[in-house]
Amino acid sequence: MFSLQTIFGKGDKFYGLLEASAAAAHDSAAALVRMFAARPLTPSLDEFMLARRREKDLFAQISQELVNTFVTALDREDIETLSAALNKITKSTTKFAERYSLAADRLGDIDFTSRAVLLEKAGEVIVQMVKELRRGNLETMRSLNERLQSIENQADRLMIDLYRDLYDGRHEPIRIFLLKDLFELLEKAIDRCRDAGNVVYQIVLKNS
């Protein structure tokens, strides 16, 4: 797989850049789990901002390297698509953290941890999938993609439980609005992981 590019020894830098981008996405998810474990009244956004800045810098670097590099290890369109998909993971996670920080004092009794853990697990799978691009083993990639789909299914079931709880008459309208917005942002971040996983899987499938 990708033997011609390997012979010429060109474009391998993109593997490393994409792996670093996936790691930044996972770091932002892990920061979310740590934030809920500490449950501070005023959550710090420093870790999220750092991961987001790294991701944006990597996204810009990948775009510039595509301009400067004649031969790439992967198709240019695939590199661009995957880079954009990874970028959206940290963007969604950071947006959630920002919104949560504004309402943390009102939502201290709500446990977001289970969903944050699923996001971190999805981020771990994305890191493995992007690393696997170097080898391009279709069976391994299929197994990882199935694991990612399983995590998404678990998140969907949690969303059903959330809606059941939201509309049972115990919550005030403003609280329903806040919770619905936050949980849907968290679900969107998990969906972004699924989107990135689908891109990686399609790349390997196309080149197998």
Side-chain angles (χ1 to χ4, degrees):
M1 183 180 178
F2 313 130
S3 57
L4 182 60
Q5 289 87 343
T6 302
I7 291 171
F8 283 105
K10 301 292 185 179
D12 290 347
K13 70 186 79 174
F14 291 104
Y15 288 126
L17 290 171
L18 290 169
E19 288 167 3
S21 185
H26 175 252
D27 287 348
S28 67
L32 206 58
V33 174
R34 287 192 293 272
M35 183 180 75
F36 290 131
R39 297 182 73 85
L41 291 179
T42 306
S44 172
L45 298 177
D46 291 348
E47 285 191 84
F48 302 99
M49 295 296 105
L50 180 60
R52 181 70 185 133
R53 192 178 308 117
R54 282 169 51 205
E55 186 68 72
K56 291 174 70 174
D57 289 346
L58 287 162
F59 181 77
Q61 187 177 351
I62 289 170
S63 298
Q64 187 59 49
E65 290 291 350
L66 283 171
V67 174
N68 297 336
T69 306
F70 179 68
V71 178
T72 58
L74 305 170
D75 288 347
R76 292 172 182 274
E77 294 80 7
D78 291 336
I79 294 172
E80 290 176 334
T81 302
L82 180 53
S83 178
L86 293 170
N87 183 53
K88 290 176 181 178
I89 298 173
T90 54
K91 184 177 181 180
S92 296
T93 305
T94 301
K95 182 180 291 187
F96 171 88
E98 290 172 340
R99 296 273 183 88
Y100 177 79
S101 69
L102 297 174
D105 57 336
R106 303 181 190 178
L107 303 174
D109 60 321
I110 302 298
D111 186 10
F112 292 87
T113 305
S114 59
R115 293 161 180 84
V117 167
L118 286 177
L119 176 59
E120 183 183 22
K121 288 181 178 179
E124 290 175 354
V125 176
I126 290 300
V127 168
Q128 294 176 52
M129 292 181 79
V130 175
K131 286 183 177 180
E132 186 61 30
L133 272 176
R134 291 180 183 268
R135 291 175 288 276
N137 185 288
L138 182 58
E139 289 304 315
T140 300
M141 196 64 74
R142 182 180 289 116
S143 176
L144 289 169
N145 195 50
E146 289 174 354
R147 190 187 309 171
L148 192 59
Q149 298 298 325
S150 175
I151 292 170
E152 185 192 15
N153 290 337
Q154 293 178 58
D156 288 342
R157 288 194 293 272
L158 287 176
M159 282 300 296
I160 293 173
D161 293 339
L162 162 68
Y163 285 122
R164 185 181 296 114
D165 178 68
L166 280 181
Y167 301 121
D168 68 358
R170 293 185 300 109
H171 302 286
E172 296 180 356
I174 184 62
R175 187 174 171 87
I176 291 174
F177 174 80
L178 287 172
L179 289 173
K180 186 172 181 293
D181 179 58
L182 286 169
F183 278 114
E184 288 181 352
L185 281 172
L186 204 48
E187 182 187 32
K188 186 175 183 179
I190 294 173
D191 288 345
R192 295 303 190 190
C193 290
R194 176 209 59 201
D195 294 342
N198 286 339
V199 172
V200 178
Y201 183 68
Q202 289 302 318
I203 291 172
V204 174
L205 189 64
K206 180 174 70 175
N207 291 279
S208 62

